[in-house]
Amino acid sequence: MLASLKTLLRGDYAVPAFNAYNTETVQAIIQAGEESESPLIIQASESALEYAGLEEFAAYTLQAVKKTRIPVGVHLDHGKNLDTVKRCVKSGFTSIMLDGSSKPFNENVKISLQAKKISGGIPIELEIGALAGKEDYVEEKKARYTSPEEAMRFYRLTKPDALAVSIGNSHGWSEKKLKLNFKLLKEISSEIPTPLVLHGSSGVSDSQIKRAVKLGIRKINMDTQLRKSFTLALKKSLDENSDINPRTHLEKAREAMKKTCIGRIKVCGSGGKAFK
Ligand code: G3H
Ligand code: 13P
Ligand code: ZN
């Protein structure tokens, strides 16, 4: 069933937000949530929505979510463009992210408030501080860690429903090599009265994720690890089986991605929380 970001992020655990871009990835995520009885967020980036077709992706995903019993949010990931925000709201997304983190502080505030106005009351995630690595179409050469003072000023001016922070996390890592700054996370989470979001969690070890959840992270974004399991399983299947029916191979990829999602649900602590 469809669930609002606000209700999803109320627990003392983190809700995994998995990136999707086609039917198989949406199915893998929902199946993982059903098997683990976990609340979930299915999210799509602007480039994924360009690939799948925004309205088409929304129609398929919303229908699939309405059919399942677990609570699921459908979320725009790293929205940079106000027109995309408008189209997502119109298509029935349950929440959006406006990512103005690569802009100077005042411009980030300005575009965040514009997105809030356009989103007409659906919950909104914002970001302060920029991650190293690849952020959708924008390349951040160096991370700008979130400063607690700046985060507080940003929070007071924008009042987001969720706030993404930069604490050593970085996008696009297929190996778990990142080191989070927990002292910084503690400072931010003790001051900001809104759920915090960890992007780029593919490169973060399970033990660090668990510690981050204890310190106030309530939404964990995960993409690269899912892509890796999907693509490696697809390759293995194609190498081992000459069947020309794509479904034979896509089924294997979907299953592999589902298993990765189940593993991450355990780390987030969201398993078994769907009906509580
Ligand atoms: O955080 C960004 C996501 O991994 C989206 O990447 O633009 O390649 O879909 P993408
Ligand atoms: P990873 O691809 O590093 O897991 O990051 C995902 C993400 O932050 C999506 O917004
Ligand atoms: Zn991200």
Side-chain angles (χ1 to χ4, degrees), residues 145 167-169 177-182 203-204 208:
Y145 278 19
I167 54 164
N169 44 323
K177 285 187 172 164
L178 300 172
K179 231 177 144 260
L180 298 185
N181 183 334
F182 290 106
V204 183
Q208 288 189 90

Side-chain angles (χ1 to χ4, degrees), residues 77-78 131 135 171 199-200 221:
D77 187 32
H78 292 286
L131 269 59
E135 285 213 301
H171 285 114
H199 282 249
N221 284 21

Side-chain angles (χ1 to χ4, degrees), residues 59 66 173:
K66 282 176 194 160
W173 287 72

